[in-house]
Structures are given as C-alpha cells and as structure tokens.
Amino acid sequence: DEALARREALRFSRFEHPRQQYFATAIYMALDDHRRVLEIMTSPRTRLLNDYGLMPHTNRLGQTITPAVFRMDLFGEFNFGFFEGFSFAPRANVYVEFMAASAFALDGQDEEAYRRFSYLIDHVGPGAFRDVLWMSYYQRGLLREKRGDAGGAISDYRRAIELVEGIRSTIRSETGRVGFVGDKFSVYDHLIGLLLEKQAFGEALEVVERSKGRALVDMLSARSSFAVSAADQAEAPRLLERMVE
C-alpha cells in the first residue's frame, strides 16, 4: 500500500538518528520518489550523505571531512563491550552512497552521479558488497553510454556481467539462481546493443548465447522431470554448464 509506505517514510524522516533517516530514504527510493530521497540525504538538519556517505567532502573552511562509519545493526547482534561501544555491524556507508548516486542519476544530475558511482567502484571491494558493485558498474555504464563513451560503457557492462555471474555461481539453490539472474538481463541487452553498433557481430553473438545459455542452464537444472540415471546425476549439471562455455 503506497499510502501506508509514505506514512512510514514520513514518520522515519522526522527522527534525528541516521538509521531512521536511512529507512525513510530506502522507502522513498522504492516508491521512485528520488527527489524526496535527495531532500533527506542533503538536508542541513540530517546531513545523512555528508556525515554517513562514503565520499569525503569539503566544508566551508576548505577542510576535507571524512564521513563517520555508519554501522547498520538491525538485529542488535553486533555490539560488544561494557557499554556496547564497539560494533562489527556491516558498514552501511556503502549503501547510503549508492542510494545517493542512484537518486542523482534519476534526477538528471549525471556528473554528480558519475562521480559517486566511480568512487564506489574505486573504493568498494568485490567481497561483501558485490551487489552494490555490479549495479555501480551498470549504472556508470548507462551514464557513459548516454555521454557517447561506447568503449567505456562496454567495459563497465562486461564487468557488471562478470560480477552478476560470479554471485550467481555462489547460490546453491537452482530456483534461487534462476530468480537472481532473471531481472538482470538489461545489462546483457545494453552490451549487445553497443556491440552491434560497433559491428562487432561475433562478440555480440557470444553475449547473446551467453545470456540465453545461462538462463537455459538454470531452467534445465531446476527441472526434476529428466530421466537421468543415478550414475549420471552428478555429471548432468557439469554437462549443462559446458553448454554455455
């Protein structure tokens, strides 16, 4: 219910604590209200982006300020110490920065969005934040394509696909793998389109086969109606994987 979501977002936005402010921006982002996201992020009252983003910023005195670490401990499981003054909670600054970059992109502030996506790519490792990293490559690729930098866009789309397929390979459930890749074919589509414009038909065909083959492997792996002998059950997934190599 959109009305309920907006009421909850408004309620969270009235708090001073950054966690509630973050919840508010996350709800507004889900509602495609990027202008409200930017209002909260850049508000002098909350200073969510300046204080808890990822990029350093310059204050009025010309000093470079590094944002404080923003720990997102949703379940109260990470704090330790007598006064619970220490935390191993994930560093949520990455998500604040990514949401801000995405909102700037949606608002048409391409240069600011490009700067922030590039900072994420340069400073976020491919370990715990691979979800943010592949989306940052994809979004920067869109911005590069928009400004006419086809080569840069192709490079970013390729890297995004590598990350998506890397994440997919770690998902044990066949159903989970199908669901994970299902909404990410737009990355393949953009890459194929640029390769066709370059008349790199062979490379474009490889990407087409790779995207279709990957989906086929996932769907076939999820089926339980194949007449496969017990001796061949272990070999079947490997044979399916070889279909897209």
Side-chain angles (χ1 to χ4, degrees):
D1 184 275
E2 182 175 340
L4 176 61
R6 288 193 175 276
R7 285 198 298 272
E8 283 299 293
L10 180 61
R11 182 175 69 85
F12 281 129
S13 70
R14 290 170 175 163
F15 286 90
E16 297 291 337
H17 195 280
R19 184 170 69 173
Q20 279 78 17
Q21 292 292 325
Y22 176 78
F23 290 160
T25 58
I27 295 172
Y28 281 123
M29 200 67 180
L31 294 170
D32 294 324
D33 192 347
H34 62 273
R35 294 186 184 277
R36 186 68 180 121
V37 171
L38 290 177
E39 285 177 12
I40 295 173
M41 285 271 189
T42 60
S43 166
R45 178 178 69 87
T46 61
R47 296 177 53 83
L48 181 63
L49 182 56
N50 276 352
D51 289 351
Y52 296 103
L54 197 63
M55 285 182 63
H57 64 279
T58 304
N59 65 12
R60 294 179 181 178
L61 300 176
Q63 300 168 317
T64 301
I65 307 299
T66 301
V69 174
F70 181 24
R71 299 293 185 186
M72 184 65 76
D73 187 359
L74 297 179
F75 304 103
E77 296 178 346
F78 295 97
N79 292 334
F80 66 97
F82 187 76
F83 294 106
E84 295 191 338
F86 302 92
S87 177
F88 283 130
R91 186 177 181 183
N93 301 66
V94 172
Y95 295 107
V96 173
E97 191 68 47
F98 177 77
M99 194 184 304
S102 301
F104 280 121
L106 290 169
D107 197 50
Q109 300 186 50
D110 293 353
E111 292 305 316
E112 185 66 15
Y114 185 92
R115 190 169 70 95
R116 292 183 179 277
F117 283 128
S118 295
Y119 192 88
L120 282 162
I121 289 168
D122 291 340
H123 292 82
V124 173
F129 298 106
R130 287 183 297 175
D131 56 338
V132 168
L133 198 52
W134 85 259
M135 288 187 288
S136 295
Y137 272 110
Y138 176 45
Q139 292 294 332
R140 192 176 72 172
L142 293 175
L143 293 170
R144 282 180 157 175
E145 186 175 353
K146 186 176 179 180
R147 60 168 60 167
D149 180 9
I154 287 172
S155 176
D156 279 349
Y157 293 150
R158 286 192 186 279
R159 186 69 183 112
I161 288 171
E162 288 174 7
L163 287 163
V164 165
E165 294 185 351
I167 298 169
R168 172 201 164 278
S169 68
T170 66
I171 301 174
R172 294 183 178 276
S173 163
E174 289 86 356
T175 304
R177 287 199 295 270
V178 173
F180 175 77
V181 177
D183 63 346
K184 298 170 179 64
F185 282 108
S186 58
V187 192
Y188 292 89
D189 289 342
H190 279 276
L191 177 56
I192 292 165
L194 287 181
L195 291 172
L196 289 175
E197 287 181 14
K198 284 183 56 183
Q199 296 188 348
F201 302 120
E203 293 179 63
L205 181 60
E206 286 179 14
V207 178
V208 169
E209 293 301 321
R210 185 173 174 181
S211 63
K212 289 184 176 180
R214 183 61 62 193
L216 176 63
V217 167
D218 285 337
M219 286 188 292
L220 292 179
S221 297
R223 291 180 64 91
S224 59
S225 58
F226 287 111
V228 180
S229 67
D232 292 334
Q233 285 181 358
E235 184 65 18
R238 287 193 289 273
L239 292 173
L240 288 171
E241 288 291 338
R242 286 172 59 185
M243 290 170 60
V244 294
E245 291 178 355

